[in-house]
């Protein structure tokens, strides 16, 4: 087709050139220059991009110089129609090459990402993951993977904490993307594939909460407390995290520690020469409230653990022991802290709504009884001590 087109064009030029040569005898047109321009056009219009640009330049110069000549009208009209097509062809080819190059680069990034994921080369995974998201910011699978790495790393001995901040950043990003409607087929990739939005959402909240509590929270009590909100959120959707006892055990740990902290401060008031009975009473009421929250969380952890054969008996025994200690702290009347009472509470715990950690802890104000007045932990003096001391322990 190109050969036929070129012959046709040359045929047109031959006719026009004959006419032009007739007038050249009278010195009206520079025949040699005109022929050179047209030859430059015909020699390059079917070549490479650079050659076609030479042809376009020559053709435009021909139109500019000879467009007004009646004897050049046929060639000028042809050039006016051909040049836009040549320009579009160059533009389309450049775009196609750019798209081909971009696709190859994208595939190379994907391959690198998958290799890093397989090899657990987390440092480079975050680098190439960032490059991928710079081009495709809605690629949820990549975001979910980057929001997963740090959880396993803090479980190592010794814990690896270098990925904490990046993991939390991308886990929060994943939650935000999913809430805004971004979807996926696998919701992750390879070892970090969550299969559904609910499961992915729960895992991202769980990951953030566990890193904040067990790693960042070691030096930052604010992050430790904020972790509870993420752990609680992980239980609000239907997923395998809803039946993860460690979520509830971790929440229980925080309430247990808070009750212990208040208890220690209150015991100092008890032992003071001038005891502040009003402050003591307020502390006791708040200690009981935190104890109630801890009992609730530990009971959920134990009930879920009992239904899971993969959970060790040691873990279950620890949960039950903590619950009994808290019952002994929370209630002074012997009839309120029997094994039957405790087991009945544990058995029915999953039918009750779990307290939201973001909700205020309401102090438990009870009317003192004779039994209350006589209760003492042996560490404080005076009849005003109404509770027994709690002691934290490793789960």
């Amino acid at each position: 087709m190109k050969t036929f087109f070129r012959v046709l064009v040359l045929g047109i030029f031959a006719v026009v050139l004959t006419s032009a040569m007739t007038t050249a005898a009278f010195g009206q047109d520079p025949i040699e220059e005109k022929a050179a321009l047209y030859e430059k056009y015909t020699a390059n219009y079917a070549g490479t991009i650079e050659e076609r640009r030479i042809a376009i330049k020559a053709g435009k110069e021909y139109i500019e110089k000879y467009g007004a000549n009646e004897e050049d009208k046929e060639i000028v009209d042809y050039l006016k129609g051909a040049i836009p097509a040549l320009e579009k062809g160059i533009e389309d080819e450049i775009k196609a090459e750019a798209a081909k190059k971009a696709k190859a680069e994208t595939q190379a990034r994907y391959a690198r990402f998958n290799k890093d994921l397989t090899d657990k080369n987390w440092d480079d995974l975050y680098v190439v993951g960032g490059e991928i998201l710079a081009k495709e910011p809605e690629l949820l699978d990549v975001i979910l993977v980057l929001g997963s790495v740090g959880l396993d790393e803090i479980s190592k001995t010794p814990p690896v904490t270098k990925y904490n901040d990046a993991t939390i950043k991308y886990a929060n990003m994943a939650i935000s993307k999913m809430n805004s409607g971004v979807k996926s087929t696998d919701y992750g990739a390879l070892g970090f594939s969550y299969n559904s939005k609910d499961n992915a959402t729960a895992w991202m909240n769980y990951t953030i909460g566990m890193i904040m509590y067990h790693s960042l929270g070691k030096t930052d009590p604010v992050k430790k407390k904020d972790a509870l909100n993420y752990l609680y959120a992980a239980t609000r959707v239907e997923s395998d995290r809803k039946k993860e006892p460690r979520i509830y055990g971790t929440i229980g740990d925080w309430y247990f520690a808070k009750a212990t902290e208040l208890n220690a401060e209150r015991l100092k008031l008890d032992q003071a020469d001038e005891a502040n009975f009003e402050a003591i009473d307020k502390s006791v009421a708040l200690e009981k409230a935190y104890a109630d929250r801890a009992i609730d969380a530990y009971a959920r952890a134990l009930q879920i653990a009992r239904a899971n054969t993969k959970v060790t008996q040691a873990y279950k025994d620890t949960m039950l022991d903590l619950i009994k200690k808290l019952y002994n702290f929370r209630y002074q009347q012997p009839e309120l802290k029997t094994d039957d009472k405790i087991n009945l509470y544990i058995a029915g715990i999953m039918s009750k709504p779990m307290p939201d950690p973001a909700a205020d802890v309401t102090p438990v104000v009870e009317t003192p009884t004779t039994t209350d007045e006589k209760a003492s932990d042996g560490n404080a003096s005076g009849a005003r001590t109404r509770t027994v001391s709690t002691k934290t322990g490793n789960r």
Side-chain angles (χ1 to χ4, degrees):
M1 184 67 182
K2 287 182 178 178
T3 302
F4 171 76
F5 182 62
R6 185 167 180 176
V7 171
L8 178 63
V9 171
L10 289 175
I12 294 172
F13 182 69
V15 174
V16 177
L17 186 59
T18 301
S19 174
M21 289 178 65
T22 303
T23 58
F26 299 94
Q28 294 178 350
D29 287 322
I31 299 301
E32 293 83 1
E33 181 181 13
K34 184 184 296 187
L37 280 175
Y38 198 79
E39 177 59 29
K40 185 181 288 187
Y41 174 84
T42 57
N44 292 284
Y45 82 94
T48 65
I49 288 178
E50 289 305 316
E51 288 173 336
R52 278 175 279 165
R53 283 174 174 160
I54 292 173
I56 290 170
K57 183 178 179 181
K60 287 183 176 180
E61 187 176 349
Y62 193 103
I63 293 170
E64 182 182 356
K65 288 183 176 181
Y66 309 113
N69 295 345
E70 182 62 30
E71 64 271 20
D72 293 304
K73 184 177 183 305
E74 192 171 359
I75 291 180
V76 169
D77 287 346
Y78 154 70
L79 290 173
K80 285 181 178 180
I83 288 174
L86 285 176
E87 290 176 325
K88 186 176 186 308
I90 291 174
E91 182 182 348
D92 290 345
E93 190 170 327
I94 290 173
K95 286 181 179 179
E97 286 297 322
K100 182 179 179 181
K101 181 181 178 181
K103 183 178 180 180
E105 291 174 348
T106 297
Q107 294 301 323
R109 284 192 293 267
Y110 289 165
R112 179 179 157 196
F113 184 86
N114 289 335
K115 186 176 187 304
D116 286 340
L117 186 51
T118 301
D119 296 344
K120 297 185 178 181
N121 182 1
W122 306 139
D123 288 347
D124 191 62
L125 183 80
Y126 277 106
V127 173
V128 69
E131 293 173 1
I132 290 172
L133 293 176
K135 300 289 185 180
E136 302 173 85
E138 302 298 290
L139 197 53
L140 184 58
D141 291 339
V142 171
I143 300 172
L144 285 166
V145 170
L146 298 180
S148 302
V149 171
L151 180 61
D152 289 343
E153 292 298 301
I154 65 167
S155 301
K156 292 181 176 179
T157 305
V160 178
T161 61
K162 64 188 291 188
Y163 306 109
N164 283 352
D165 290 342
T167 299
I168 289 174
K169 168 190 170 183
Y170 285 108
N172 272 314
M173 186 186 298
I175 293 170
S176 177
K177 294 288 185 185
M178 288 186 287
N179 287 341
S180 67
V182 178
K183 298 180 180 179
S184 167
T185 300
D186 298 321
Y187 286 90
L190 297 180
F192 300 114
S193 184
Y194 301 107
N195 303 316
S196 72
K197 175 186 175 182
D198 283 350
N199 205 41
T201 300
W203 267 98
M204 291 299 99
N205 279 294
Y206 174 72
T207 296
I208 296 169
M210 295 301 273
I211 291 175
M212 288 178 67
Y213 190 93
H214 293 289
S215 187
L216 300 178
K218 289 180 178 180
T219 57
D220 190 336
V222 174
K223 281 188 170 60
K224 196 165 196 172
K225 183 178 186 302
D226 289 344
L228 304 190
N229 297 322
Y230 287 97
L231 294 174
Y232 176 76
T235 70
R236 297 299 89 195
V237 293
E238 293 301 324
S239 76
D240 58 9
R241 294 299 85 192
K242 192 168 186 175
K243 294 184 178 181
E244 171 52 67
R246 286 174 294 182
I247 290 181
Y248 307 94
T250 299
I251 293 173
D253 283 350
W254 190 88
Y255 287 126
F256 192 105
K258 186 65 177 178
T260 302
E261 177 188 330
L262 292 171
N263 180 257
E265 293 173 357
R266 191 255 302 168
L267 291 179
K268 293 177 183 178
L269 295 176
D270 279 341
Q271 294 169 344
D273 291 337
E274 295 294 332
N276 185 337
F277 294 134
E278 182 179 355
I280 291 172
D281 287 342
K282 287 183 178 179
S283 180
V284 169
L286 198 53
E287 290 168 46
K288 289 182 177 180
Y290 279 107
D292 281 343
R293 291 272 184 108
I295 291 170
D296 178 283
Y298 285 144
R300 293 174 193 276
L302 178 55
Q303 189 72 338
I304 290 171
R306 283 174 171 173
N308 189 341
T309 57
K310 294 182 180 180
V311 179
T312 65
Q313 188 59 44
Y315 182 89
K316 299 170 187 177
D317 293 342
T318 298
M319 290 295 102
L320 182 58
D321 182 61
L322 288 169
I323 293 169
K324 287 182 176 180
K325 285 181 178 179
L326 284 161
Y327 255 81
N328 195 51
F329 168 81
R330 172 65 176 83
Y331 302 103
Q332 274 62 62
Q333 298 93 327
E335 66 273 14
L336 296 180
K337 48 188 177 182
T338 64
D339 286 347
D340 286 343
K341 287 281 187 182
I342 293 172
N343 289 331
L344 186 63
Y345 178 86
I346 295 170
I349 190 62
M350 301 308 291
S351 64
K352 302 174 184 178
M354 184 179 181
D356 186 344
D360 291 337
V361 177
T362 305
V364 177
V365 179
E366 297 176 327
T367 303
T369 65
T370 302
T371 303
D372 288 333
E373 291 293 337
K374 292 180 179 178
S376 173
D377 61 5
N379 294 320
S381 60
R384 298 288 297 189
T385 303
R386 297 195 180 105
T387 60
V388 293
S389 176
T390 60
K391 297 184 183 295
T392 56
N394 294 328
R395 294 193 295 113

